[in-house]
Amino acid sequence: MNSCRRITCSDWRSGLSVVFSQTNCRRCPEVAASFSRSQTTAPGHAPDSDTGEKPRLRAIDLARKVQQEKAKPPPATEPPVSGQQKRVTELKRFSLQLQNVHPNVLAKHLHRSVLYQDEDVVITNKPYGVPVRDDSGATSIASVLPVLSKMLDGMKIKSDTQLFPSLGLEKETTGALLLARREEVVEHILNLNRNNQVQRKYWVITVGVPVPSEGVIDIPIIERAVTGPQPHFKMALSPLFRMNDAGTGVTKVRAHRQAHQAVTRYRVLDSSSGCSLVELQPFTGAKHQMRVHMAFALSCSILGDHKYSHWSKLAPQQLPERVLGKLGLEQSKIRHLPLHLHARRLTLSGTRAGDVDVSCPLPKFFTQTLKRLQLTPPDKKDNR
């Protein structure tokens, strides 16, 4: 009977590996050939180039490789992220949360954010950085209203209802956005607005404390060209009065033909750390009226208003060191600070459903800024 015997002896320390094989087995030619090749290949030498065989992996080589891996220094860890870097990352995320997203994503967000609806109107919480209308083809609220309308109707295929923006908000403004379900409702809302039956109150955080603490700003505004290295256009004050030559009083001047009437009521709700929480109520709808009145009439620009914090240039808002410290930011990163202008409350009178009064919750970045600046809203003061 044929027999096959294999004996292997390995010296792990010296790296020597000797294979003894004895075979009289005709049934195992592959084993015999393998043993013969191992005998002819010297340890530590590459095989004959003519054979094209790869060198066999020896146990000692594997052991050395493991030791080398253990001896390698650990990979360099990333430096810890500072609080200021975390703050900038948060602000970037808030300001870009729904910009350039798929229309269905924006429609779902608006659907989840509905604050009030009846057979005539829908009020939803507008996110930051999304335009109400945009003719450039970018995703806007108007472009997703057909999808939102179907969602409100339970995704009915034969739904005939539509939604139309009635009183719009600026791209950087958050808060209560009024939508009409029919075109005739839009006209009715516009008539209510002209008759002061629509009240809109905004909350803003200002850099500085307005003096006096409440009042009415009645100064027309006009669009003017700003010359310099970066020519651009801005809305500016177009006052009807100016100081007389003697400096003892004011004289009335002729109104500019292209100026727009602009009236804004303001009231300081709280102030701390050189900043203020202010409630604004516009009685007119001129472009950028509240931003211009706060920046140029009261010299208290809205936090994050990089357009109207300077008149002669386009540059990020310049903040005092004390405010920067409270916000956890450096001046070089202030461009990431969003505009703190929020449509807080919307009141409609004369609708078929009666008087509608809706308060809109603040966005997360707004509440975080209030906490950092130690500003307390009136509703929180009542609960203390």
Side-chain angles (χ1 to χ4, degrees):
M1 182 175 178
N2 295 329
S3 63
C4 177
R5 184 177 59 158
R6 179 183 180 186
I7 303 173
T8 302
C9 178
S10 299
D11 187 347
W12 293 81
R13 296 183 180 178
S14 62
L16 298 179
S17 177
V18 182
V19 178
F20 304 96
S21 66
Q22 296 178 358
T23 179
N24 294 317
C25 181
R26 296 179 182 178
R27 298 179 183 178
C28 304
E30 295 86 1
V31 176
S34 175
F35 286 169
S36 62
R37 282 197 302 269
S38 65
Q39 289 176 334
T40 57
T41 304
H45 291 76
D48 194 319
S49 59
D50 294 337
T51 63
E53 296 179 1
K54 296 182 179 179
R56 300 179 62 183
L57 182 62
R58 299 179 305 165
I60 187 61
D61 296 331
L62 183 60
R64 287 175 178 171
K65 186 175 181 181
V66 172
Q67 291 178 350
Q68 290 174 357
E69 291 292 335
K70 291 183 178 180
K72 284 184 179 180
T77 58
E78 297 182 358
V81 179
S82 66
Q84 192 265 348
Q85 290 173 321
K86 289 182 180 179
R87 177 66 170 155
V88 171
T89 302
E90 287 178 356
L91 294 176
K92 286 182 180 179
R93 185 175 67 252
F94 294 148
S95 61
L96 297 174
Q97 57 180 344
L98 286 173
Q99 299 179 43
N100 302 320
V101 298
H102 192 277
N104 289 347
V105 176
L106 178 58
K108 289 179 181 178
H109 179 84
L110 294 173
H111 186 221
R112 292 193 301 266
S113 304
V114 169
L115 304 170
Y116 173 85
Q117 62 176 315
D118 58 30
E119 57 183 356
D120 291 328
V121 300
V122 175
I123 302 176
T124 186
N125 188 353
K126 177 190 171 298
Y128 181 86
V130 181
V132 176
R133 297 180 179 89
D134 195 337
D135 298 330
S136 64
T139 301
S140 64
I141 290 178
S143 67
V144 304
L145 289 183
V147 180
L148 177 60
S149 179
K150 285 186 175 294
M151 289 180 176
L152 293 173
D153 291 341
M155 298 304 292
K156 297 178 182 177
I157 298 177
K158 295 183 179 180
S159 175
D160 296 328
T161 59
Q162 292 179 299
L163 291 173
F164 303 91
S166 51
L167 300 176
L169 296 175
E170 298 174 11
K171 178 180 178 181
E172 293 83 8
T173 305
T174 60
L177 175 65
L178 181 62
L179 305 172
R181 288 187 179 271
R182 296 180 302 280
E183 290 185 352
E184 55 268 25
V185 177
V186 176
E187 293 298 325
H188 179 63
I189 292 174
L190 293 178
N191 287 330
L192 292 177
N193 191 45
R194 283 190 286 265
N195 296 324
N196 293 325
Q197 291 180 278
V198 179
Q199 291 186 3
R200 290 181 289 174
K201 293 184 178 181
Y202 296 78
W203 280 8
V204 299
I205 298 178
T206 64
V207 182
V209 182
V211 178
S213 60
E214 60 180 301
V216 175
I217 306 170
D218 185 1
I219 306 176
I221 61 177
I222 188 173
E223 188 174 40
R224 297 188 184 278
V226 180
T227 59
Q230 296 174 296
H232 59 284
F233 289 89
K234 284 182 180 177
M235 303 303 292
L237 298 177
S238 181
L240 298 176
F241 298 88
R242 63 175 178 83
M243 293 292 297
N244 57 25
D245 296 335
T248 57
V250 296
T251 59
K252 188 171 183 178
V253 298
R254 184 177 180 180
H256 198 286
R257 186 177 301 175
Q258 296 180 346
H260 303 277
Q261 184 181 10
V263 182
T264 307
R265 175 184 291 167
Y266 72 94
R267 179 168 66 100
V268 177
L269 302 178
D270 195 20
S271 59
S272 177
S273 306
C275 295
S276 302
L277 174 62
V278 182
E279 181 183 78
L280 301 178
Q281 182 180 358
F283 294 105
T284 53
K287 179 182 178 181
H288 295 172
Q289 132 178 358
M290 292 179 289
R291 297 165 65 180
V292 173
H293 278 171
M294 296 307 298
F296 300 145
L298 292 177
S299 298
C300 294
S301 60
I302 299 175
L303 186 65
D305 192 349
H306 307 295
K307 185 180 181 79
Y308 290 104
S309 294
H310 312 277
W311 167 251
S312 60
K313 60 182 179 179
L314 292 172
Q317 187 177 38
Q318 191 76 25
L319 295 180
E321 288 294 332
R322 181 185 180 188
V323 177
L324 289 173
K326 290 287 185 178
L327 294 176
L329 290 174
E330 296 177 357
Q331 182 60 44
S332 60
K333 303 295 183 182
I334 204 65
R335 66 185 181 277
H336 300 297
L337 195 66
L339 180 69
H340 287 64
L341 173 58
H342 178 72
R344 173 65 173 174
R345 189 171 180 178
L346 177 63
T347 304
L348 294 173
S349 302
T351 66
R352 288 195 298 177
D355 293 343
V356 177
D357 189 359
V358 176
S359 294
C360 186
L362 297 170
K364 186 177 180 180
F365 74 85
F366 202 112
T367 56
Q368 285 189 347
T369 301
L370 288 176
K371 182 181 294 187
R372 285 178 172 271
L373 294 175
Q374 297 176 329
L375 295 171
T376 306
D379 52 347
K380 300 297 183 181
K381 290 181 179 179
D382 295 339
N383 295 331
R384 286 192 303 187

